[in-house]
Amino acid sequence: MAVDDAKILKPTDAVIRTAVTCVCGSDLWPCRGAEPTERAHPMGHEHVGFVEEVGSAVTSVKPGQFVGGSFATSDNTCANCRDGFQSGCLNREFTSTCQAEYVRIPNAQGTLAATEEIPGEEFRPGLPAVFDVMGTGWWAADAAEVKAGSTAVAVGDGAAGLCAVIAAREMGAERITAMSRHGSRQKLARGFGATDVVTERGEVGVARIKEMTGGIGADSVLECVGTARAMQQALHSARPGGNVGFVGVPHGVAVVGQELFFSHVALRGAAPDRLMVHLAVNEADSEHDVVHWPAPVTDEEYAAPRPPTDTRTRVLTSSPPFSHRIALLTSEQASSC
């Protein structure tokens, strides 16, 4: 069945020509029949590419720029957006047709961010991960309130789980455990900052976490799978007063209220904010392959000229370099948890 070409439907839309798109673990649910597919349409939400056309209300990007965006589009002006929860935008639409040559992006003004320069082709394969799955892993750590010197556990070793390990390390966790059963991904997790690997699952895996934390549990648990078993493993691995950030799209997950009540564990779901989208590749640092990760800024601040010593950005320079780590992640095809 033929599908319609991407085109401007609203003044707030943009159409981009994809440079790179990729498969996410969430794409596998409909492929496996776990989600109904009622009509023919392209798959995917991870994308970077060139702006082809913009609607009359879009002024933040223009044709020819290289851009990326989020899986959930947002206008970045409603109350929820201004409170930092853009994926709960009152005018939210999801991008779900990005594995195509051309893609319509709703709410382009608040969703798309342009790189300062058009990145070289050698950098592009890693950029969808930075725009999408790295933000997901980062939010898992943020929602789980990872702090300097804390203990953190990443449940899942797909792209989101591995990015959650990176995020926990960048946030200063002292002990980071990756729950993984795949040798190649365990190697990546350790390279990204994991201090420990637990191969067991279910209550046996929980028992290992308790054993490693003096019988208490972890301060922060980052659930990056979305199955009922993974959620139970995450909740039971957290200490009383600990936090679970879950970013795996839930399938068949049911949380027992009384159990949660007495656990004293805080639970927060996925809602990556604007920080995850505003980034730029500094071509001047291309020989070092460095990605600059900005602190949260407004659209106006982001668009304004910035001096070379702008303190709103910090460079992730831990070894191996950040974008090298993202390239490793994507090269391993670690897209399912």
Side-chain angles (χ1 to χ4, degrees):
M1 180 183 294
V3 295
D4 295 335
D5 292 335
K7 60 184 178 181
I8 300 292
L9 300 179
K10 299 178 182 178
T12 50
D13 290 346
V15 172
I16 67 169
R17 173 172 53 86
T18 54
V20 180
T21 183
C22 55
V23 176
C24 174
S26 61
D27 296 330
L28 302 180
W29 294 107
C31 288
R32 292 168 176 164
E35 291 181 359
T37 302
E38 299 176 354
R39 58 184 175 82
H41 65 83
M43 295 285 293
H45 57 267
E46 298 187 25
H47 62 284
V48 294
F50 297 89
V51 178
E52 288 286 307
E53 184 181 2
V54 297
S56 59
V58 178
T59 60
S60 59
V61 296
K62 59 186 179 181
Q65 286 186 303
F66 192 92
V67 296
S70 171
F71 67 91
T73 71
S74 57
D75 59 24
N76 212 34
T77 61
C78 78
N80 290 344
C81 287
R82 289 303 177 188
D83 203 31
F85 289 83
Q86 280 87 348
S87 62
C89 177
L90 296 174
N91 294 306
R92 176 186 64 193
E93 293 185 47
F94 290 102
T95 52
S96 59
T97 62
C98 295
Q99 291 167 19
E101 187 177 2
Y102 295 93
V103 183
R104 169 185 169 258
I105 305 296
N107 294 311
Q109 181 82 4
T111 300
L112 294 177
T115 56
E116 293 179 352
E117 305 288 343
I118 295 177
E121 291 188 7
E122 68 273 24
F123 296 112
R124 295 176 192 175
L127 288 177
V130 178
F131 272 101
D132 190 280
V133 76
M134 186 63 227
T136 302
W138 189 278
W139 173 255
D142 192 16
E145 298 187 11
V146 175
K147 295 180 174 64
S150 65
T151 56
V153 173
V155 178
D157 61 1
L162 292 171
C163 285
V165 169
I166 295 173
R169 177 182 176 177
E170 297 298 334
M171 291 182 182
E174 182 175 332
R175 191 171 190 179
I176 304 168
T177 301
M179 304 197 86
S180 167
R181 298 194 302 178
H182 303 90
S184 62
R185 298 181 187 187
Q186 291 168 17
K187 183 178 179 180
L188 283 172
R190 288 190 182 277
F192 293 165
T195 57
D196 302 274
V197 170
V198 168
T199 59
E200 297 87 349
R201 288 192 178 186
E203 291 307 312
V204 178
V206 171
R208 285 281 294 118
I209 297 297
K210 294 288 182 69
E211 177 186 345
M212 295 163 61
T213 55
I216 300 171
D219 299 319
S220 303
V221 183
L222 292 57
E223 193 283 301
C224 304
V225 181
T227 64
R229 188 178 190 184
M231 177 61 81
Q232 286 301 306
Q233 186 165 301
L235 288 170
H236 294 172
S237 295
R239 66 168 175 81
N243 298 275
V244 173
F246 68 104
V247 296
V249 179
H251 287 76
V253 173
V255 177
V256 178
Q258 192 171 61
E259 179 183 340
L260 185 63
F261 181 82
F262 286 107
S263 73
H264 302 294
V265 171
L267 183 64
R268 174 172 285 174
D273 64 18
R274 188 68 172 174
L275 166 62
M276 311 313 171
V277 176
H278 279 327
L279 81 159
V281 176
N282 188 340
E283 289 296 320
D285 288 335
S286 60
E287 63 184 273
H288 303 296
D289 197 14
V290 173
V291 171
H292 293 252
W293 193 278
V297 294
T298 66
D299 288 343
E300 292 75 17
E301 290 174 322
Y302 183 75
R306 289 174 287 173
T309 57
D310 189 345
T311 58
R312 287 178 294 150
T313 64
R314 65 186 182 90
V315 183
L316 306 182
T317 56
S318 51
S319 182
F322 180 66
S323 51
H324 273 168
R325 289 182 278 159
I326 290 296
L328 278 171
L329 174 63
T330 54
S331 70
E332 286 286 336
Q333 300 294 309
S335 60
S336 64
C337 298

